[in-house]
Amino acid sequence: MDTLLSAEAMSGRAAAWKREGLTIGFVPTMGFLHRGHVSLMEALRPRVDRLVVSIYVNPLQFGPKEDLGRYPRDPEGDSQKCAAVGVDALFMPENLYPSGFSTSVEVSGLTERLCGAFRPGHFEGVATVCTRLFGLTRADVAILGEKDYQQLQVVRRLVRDLALPVEIVGGELIRDEDGLALSSRNVYLSPDERKRALTLSKAMRAMASGGGDVEARLALGRSILDVDKLDYLEIVDPDTLQPATDLSKPTRAVIAAFVGKTRLLDNVAVAAV
Ligand code: AMP
């Protein structure tokens, strides 16, 4: 596995692979890799000739009061995990953007609700970094986790609207044995906070399997939660992310909540009844 430290090195490598007619798969991450990230790499590995993983904590997608400065890092552990899965290139630029960078990519509509309402500018940062990363890696296919469900839908829309030549694949949300959705940010949780964090996945499970209409399921979810601040708990249309009123079609239960200072996400498919 090669470690590429600059945008130039990445684009040069991708161009060389393309000249050889090889297909490129891509897993964008912010590092501190866990089994969720590894599952994305494993899902893509058999589909492509060359597999690229990026690790870049993208300042554009963090708000001024968010955890950019203390985001966890483990470059050596990350590198070992990537090598073990058969990654060809680990792209870890210190700085991703060229000097004078002045472009921003905005996906409207889909980004206005849910996380977008609580993290102004976040999805603009995500869409901008993804566009640049897709360009640098020349990826034929990229995989993003369903753990960040709104992000996945925003990137799908971005790629469709701008006709970017990359296929977007969604990867299953991977959980810890106790049900907690794996996240690099789980490392922030104290033992007591971790126990309370489990109420997110419990609420998601109950809402997916319980009976009743949307209101009944939301009330059930709320009754289970033990969090410090609930940003949102909703049942939404899986494509438009608008609130669902009718459970006769497949929907998605989605949540974002703080436990202590840690913002956690979870979501689950709610089968049509
Ligand atoms: P991050 O490093 O948190 O930016 O995540 C990088 C990619 O890994 C994103 O596409 C995430 O959705 C995905 N990811 C993070 N956690 C999980 C998880 N528990 N299961 C599946 N994918 C995940």
Side-chain angles (χ1 to χ4, degrees), residues 48-145:
V48 293
D49 298 317
R50 294 290 180 268
L51 183 61
V52 177
V53 172
S54 68
I55 295 181
Y56 182 65
V57 183
N58 173 34
L60 296 183
Q61 69 191 68
F62 284 77
K65 292 187 184 147
E66 294 183 350
D67 57 342
L68 173 65
R70 63 183 188 114
Y71 197 83
R73 288 167 202 257
D74 179 20
E76 278 180 23
D78 289 351
S79 179
Q80 282 167 13
K81 286 177 187 134
C82 291
V85 183
V87 168
D88 296 288
L90 176 56
F91 178 36
M92 296 174 61
E94 201 167 300
N95 181 18
L96 185 67
Y97 301 104
S99 70
F101 184 78
S102 60
T103 298
S104 189
V105 182
E106 189 181 344
V107 178
S108 64
L110 272 184
T111 59
E112 275 147 31
R113 307 190 63 254
L114 307 176
C115 285
F118 292 90
R119 302 186 71 188
H122 170 67
F123 286 118
E124 221 171 304
V126 168
T128 304
V129 79
C130 283
T131 306
R132 181 158 168 81
L133 287 169
F134 294 156
L136 289 170
T137 60
R138 311 262 301 252
D140 297 286
V141 49
I143 188 165
L144 285 87

Side-chain angles (χ1 to χ4, degrees), residues 28-31 34 36-37 40 71 144-145 147-148 151 172-174 182:
T29 83
M30 298 201 299
H34 50 66
H37 298 111
L40 302 180
Y71 197 83
L144 285 87
K147 146 91 181 359
D148 301 274
Q151 169 173 276
E172 184 198 346
L173 194 167
I174 304 298
L182 287 176

